[in-house]
Amino acid sequence: MIWFQQKYPSLKLKLPIVAVGIMLAGTACSGTVSSVNKYRTSGGNAQMFSNIDLPAGGGLSRLLPFNPALQTAHDFKSANKANTMMDRNASALTGLLIHKRRIVFERYREPSAPGRRMHSMSMSKSLTALVIGNLLCDGKIKSLEQKAIIYAPQLEGTVQGDTKIRNLLMMASGIETPKQNGSPKPKAYQNLRDQRISSLELLKGLKRVNGEGSEFTYNSADTIALSQVMDTFGGLVRNFYFYIWSRIGPEQRGSWMIDFKGDPIAFAGFNATLRDWGRLGLYVMDMARGRGGDCMKKFVTEMNSKQIKNNWRRGRPGQSFSHYGYQTWVMQNGSAWWVGYGGQRVGFNFDEEKVIVIHSHVENYMVEAYAVFDFFAK
């Protein structure tokens, strides 16, 4: 307990109430239908396992409540399509549409509810990238062309330590393709969550098989390395709280799952309510439109645009996406997506300032979800 208080003095450590069985888990959509435990996804992960809690409040909330008087005809049609999608798919747990800060559609299916902290799975990767952008624009990271080991000497002897930060953001460290949904080692997420291993251990023994920056290979090891870079500046959780969470006006607590050493599960561990996920989406929208300064506008624009081609093959994650940005998937039509195993999604259309958020326990209706957002984003 003393160690945690020293590392995160302003944040509350929440120890697990009970340890339960292993969840079928991974980190992104593959060619098979993925599923997660709906109770853990709907708040259980924030209660059952070790988390660092982030307080509610602070900053300015830009999320406006639903107002039927402001709904356009297109808003109504989009909301109806989203509602039909949830009616048709019992695996859909939440749905949220936002148009220029205003809620257009909001719905929950039990066990989800407005106060329940919905789990991210690999959507956390995109949050990790946002923290890197803030550290860059604050002058702490001098360049994305620097190798990670400059800021994280603990990465010595690893492929990731010898990789440029930009290539880690693009998942282009060149390591061999992971066999299990991007996990650098079997059951990496479960073993971290259940306090069996540390994040740093997962990087040991990985081999580079492609030239750095030459090929996209979806893997959580590159995300872990990015979080290690942040340790020099106080760690992922502290910087996420300072730069992002404390500024979006969250209405409920958030939390980040941690390993037994107190390091956050950077690639799959964040929990927040549906509306607060919407606020995180609006933060990205604000940064992309220059409301956080030129540097963050440039970074977030790059983060959500086509940086490296996804040469998809059967059995690999990301078949719906043509490219990858910075820890973010990008479709051929240019829409950017945070993607989590089991059907967790945040999608963006920056031109129209529209955001979609969905959580699920079976990833069996994503094509329909993408179609709903394409219609909404017109």
Side-chain angles (χ1 to χ4, degrees):
M1 178 69 76
I2 294 174
W3 185 90
F4 289 111
Q5 290 173 340
Q6 290 174 340
K7 189 166 186 178
Y8 304 109
S10 64
L11 302 178
K12 179 183 177 184
L13 170 66
K14 186 167 189 177
L15 293 174
I17 297 172
V18 60
V20 295
I22 297 298
M23 173 175 70
L24 176 61
T27 52
C29 56
S30 66
T32 59
V33 177
S34 60
S35 62
V36 293
N37 183 297
K38 63 182 178 181
Y39 296 100
R40 295 186 201 168
T41 294
S42 301
N45 282 321
Q47 296 289 329
M48 296 175 178
F49 305 103
S50 296
N51 278 256
I52 294 175
D53 275 0
L54 306 177
L60 175 66
S61 173
R62 295 176 59 81
L63 183 63
L64 301 177
F66 175 80
N67 185 342
L70 297 178
Q71 292 281 83
T72 67
H74 188 67
D75 288 340
F76 276 119
K77 290 178 181 178
S78 299
N80 285 337
K81 285 183 177 293
N83 200 48
T84 299
M85 176 185 72
M86 291 194 68
D87 283 342
R88 283 165 43 85
N89 298 282
S91 56
L93 295 171
T94 71
L96 183 70
L97 298 179
I98 302 171
H99 180 194
K100 292 185 177 178
R101 303 188 289 128
R102 177 172 49 83
I103 293 176
V104 168
F105 171 81
E106 180 178 11
R107 181 176 167 183
Y108 302 84
R109 175 178 279 117
E110 291 184 349
S112 74
R116 292 188 178 272
R117 286 174 279 175
M118 306 302 296
H119 193 53
S120 60
M121 295 309 293
S122 284
M123 296 197 298
S124 290
K125 292 178 168 71
S126 305
L127 300 179
T128 300
L130 282 173
V131 177
I132 289 288
N134 275 285
L135 290 171
L136 173 71
C137 293
D138 205 13
K140 294 180 178 178
I141 293 175
K142 301 305 179 185
S143 170
L144 298 182
E145 304 307 317
Q146 291 178 303
K147 292 189 175 183
I149 197 169
I150 293 175
Y151 299 98
Q154 67 271 30
L155 294 177
E156 184 176 1
T158 68
V159 170
Q160 281 69 29
D162 193 40
T163 300
K164 294 178 181 179
I165 296 172
R166 187 185 304 279
N167 288 328
L168 293 174
L169 286 166
M170 295 191 301
M171 291 199 178
S173 61
I175 67 168
E176 53 198 326
T177 303
K179 294 181 173 60
Q180 186 191 44
N181 294 301
S183 294
K185 295 181 181 177
K187 295 187 176 180
Y189 169 80
Q190 294 95 325
N191 287 328
L192 288 169
R193 181 200 65 190
D194 295 340
Q195 310 292 289
R196 295 192 183 105
I197 59 174
S198 68
S199 298
L200 195 57
E201 288 178 67
L202 295 174
L203 305 186
K204 296 179 180 178
L206 300 180
K207 298 178 181 178
R208 199 192 307 271
V209 297
N210 297 306
E212 178 188 345
S214 65
E215 184 171 335
F216 165 72
T217 302
Y218 185 79
N219 75 91
S220 296
D222 289 1
T223 315
I224 293 170
L226 291 171
S227 71
Q228 295 293 317
V229 165
M230 301 173 199
D231 275 3
T232 298
F233 311 109
L236 168 57
V237 175
R238 178 176 289 182
N239 283 287
F240 173 75
Y241 176 76
F242 175 76
Y243 287 113
I244 302 171
W245 189 254
S246 65
R247 304 183 184 191
I248 64 170
E251 64 181 84
Q252 302 283 345
R253 290 177 300 151
S255 68
W256 212 303
M257 293 169 64
I258 55 176
D259 65 21
F260 77 91
K261 287 191 174 181
D263 287 329
I265 304 177
F267 62 88
F270 190 68
N271 306 284
T273 64
L274 176 62
R275 290 177 198 152
D276 286 340
W277 276 109
R279 289 179 174 91
L280 289 168
L282 289 180
Y283 173 87
V284 176
M285 192 66 65
D286 284 344
M287 297 302 104
R289 296 184 72 85
R291 294 167 186 150
D294 290 342
C295 181
M296 277 302 289
K297 179 180 180 179
K298 181 177 183 295
F299 180 87
V300 171
T301 298
E302 291 175 355
M303 173 180 169
N304 294 283
S305 60
K306 299 173 182 177
Q307 296 299 319
I308 190 166
K309 187 173 178 58
N310 175 26
N311 294 313
W312 186 80
R313 300 178 183 88
R314 184 172 294 277
R316 291 191 183 183
Q319 61 180 319
S320 298
F321 305 94
S322 64
H323 289 77
Y324 203 69
Y326 293 163
Q327 301 286 302
T328 300
W329 294 93
V330 184
M331 286 188 168
Q332 187 62 46
N333 66 8
S335 63
W337 291 81
W338 299 353
V339 173
Y341 186 92
Q344 327 315 320
R345 300 287 190 275
V346 178
F348 301 89
N349 181 291
F350 295 99
D351 292 336
E352 300 298 326
E353 293 194 63
K354 293 183 178 180
V355 177
I356 185 173
V357 185
I358 60 174
H359 296 89
S360 321
H361 64 94
V362 183
E363 192 170 315
N364 58 356
Y365 67 103
M366 295 300 101
V367 171
E368 187 173 353
Y370 300 145
V372 167
F373 187 61
D374 285 346
F375 178 85
F376 177 52
K378 291 179 180 177

